[in-house]
Amino acid sequence: MPKSLTLFLLVFVVNSICIAQGKSTVNKLNARSFELRSLKRDSSRILAYQALALSKSKNYLNGINQAQLNLGIHFCNLDQLDSASLYLNNAYQFWMTEQNSFYLALNNWYLGKLYQKVGNFGKAFNFLNKAEKQFETQGNKLFQLYVITEEGVYYEMQGDYTKALDFYLKAYELRELIGDMENSVQERSNIASIYARMGRFKEAKEYAKLSVDAAKKNPKAFGQLAVELRDLGKKFQMEKSYDSAIFYYRKALKTSLDTKSLALRSSIFSSLASLYNEVGVLNKANAYLLKAKQLANGLILLDIYLELSKNHQARQQTDSSLYYASKCIALGEQRGSKQHILEATAIKMEAFEHLQHYDSAFLYAKRAKQLSELIYNDKKDKRFNNLRVQLGLLEKEKEIEALKLVRYQDKVRTFRIIGGIAIILILVFVLLLISRIKHKKKQKLLEQQLAKSKHKLSSQTLSMIHRNNAFEEIELKLMDVRSRCNGNADPGLQKIQQTINLNKSLDSDWDNFSNYFSELHGNFLKHLSSPNYALSDYELRLCALIKLKLTNKEIATILNIEHNSVKMAKYRLKKKLGINENESMDDFITGTRLI
């Protein structure tokens, strides 16, 4: 039993170490997944799935729900809202038990974002408000700042620019409190944007300039600098300060050369084209659109073809307008963009109508109508199919989760059974250990008592031997005195002899001897006292002395008889006990044949 228990405990310890190592790996995977949530979303998702699988194999609840939270964040950022809702709500049920948990606050934040995206603004603000308070309680000012910014977005989406501005300014003040103004580009840009929406262009330009300054000072935000300069140009354009707008557009263009971002440069050219279109300088607008076209690709190029077509149409350059409209339709068919095809078709219809080519105009009008109906039907079908697919996925995920829950419950049940068996084995081991300790104590006590009895018996026997030896010496001296007196013995000497004879075999001495002997040898004397043997007290004493392995001389001294008398007594005792002639009397008594 102890060996089996030791093996079980060893396996248990090794398993515990493996689980601890597994938990450490899960924590690292989840931490890395969270770090990459914005930078490398695919990597973040893969790490979260790995953490989830490993956590479930280890029954590590914390790891499971951290991974689910990371997956919820991932899908929320990608606007895959059904999957985001599933993972975020699953994790939320667990983190609700951790009222001061960082993960509960994080979960509340992204549930707020989720409900904001689906248009449930009441729930969105409720969760965002909870997250802000929880981060504030934890002293996590950076994440509190993120949530406050999200609350500003919440009000901006609803058109309440005054409240949105309050939250953006609060986030900006918190950034100052943290002492991290190098990274204040986003906060300043948000404030500038909201001031522009409110028509307060002076404040908008002020914060846009501050945003540009922050981007210049922060090497990490250098790529953002061109974006901020372009946005500042847009603020001046909205204020109709066209010279200033052009100045910042050009600065943005110059800065964008260092970023090597063709898409950014294309967007700046498009902004310049928009400005020149607005002021009526259509040639320059067209020139910038052509530059934007050279750098653009994909859907951006489609937008530019469409703008070029519109630009030439405004300049009554019908051929060029038809050319770019045709290019837009051709590329739109390649890219499958029906919306761009529809708008380009409408431009061609107007162009042919202007040219009084009514048959072609009617043909494109008919096609535009068909495209419009097709786009509408496609949107309905796509929405219906998406809903059906999402519903199917949700049902499958629910089934999977139900199966996982059953497996998890089975594992928990198995773990409890193993744990119960382990506890029972430990209790058995402890009881056996206690029993063994008690047995050892009892054995030690018996050994001590046995040693004590041996000591008493030995002391009593030696005392009797020494005393009788002393009496014998006195008797010898008395005999010597009598011989000198030539037979005229003194009566006093005779009385001394009688006293000696009396004390040689005191009953009290034999009683003590018998008690000590019985303590040591149990029922030996009692067994010999049975009627089967019919032994006298004298013979019993002789048996006891033989049992102690005393010599004939020592026995003679104790029994106060001659040496030869001991031999004769043993011989008679042998006959009474029915011992064979060939068997030794001493061996018979000291051996195992008698108790």
Side-chain angles (χ1 to χ4, degrees), residues 583-595:
E583 191 173 356
S584 168
M585 170 74 173
D586 290 0
D587 291 342
F588 178 82
I589 291 177
T590 58
T592 57
R593 291 184 60 185
L594 289 174
I595 297 173

Side-chain angles (χ1 to χ4, degrees), residues 296-358:
N297 54 43
L299 293 175
I300 296 173
L301 187 56
L302 276 170
D303 289 333
I304 291 169
Y305 280 145
L306 199 59
E307 285 300 318
L308 281 166
S309 181
K310 288 177 181 178
N311 184 273
H312 283 291
Q313 187 182 30
R315 294 163 62 191
Q316 296 185 350
Q317 295 174 349
T318 308
D319 291 342
S320 296
S321 178
L322 286 169
Y323 170 77
Y324 284 112
S326 297
K327 293 279 283 184
C328 183
I329 290 170
L331 184 59
E333 286 174 348
Q334 287 179 17
R335 296 285 180 178
S337 178
K338 291 174 183 174
Q339 186 63 40
H340 284 91
I341 296 171
L342 173 62
E343 291 186 39
T345 301
I347 291 170
K348 291 188 82 169
M349 178 196 73
E350 290 176 7
F352 283 120
E353 187 178 2
H354 177 74
L355 294 170
Q356 296 182 351
H357 295 171
Y358 297 115

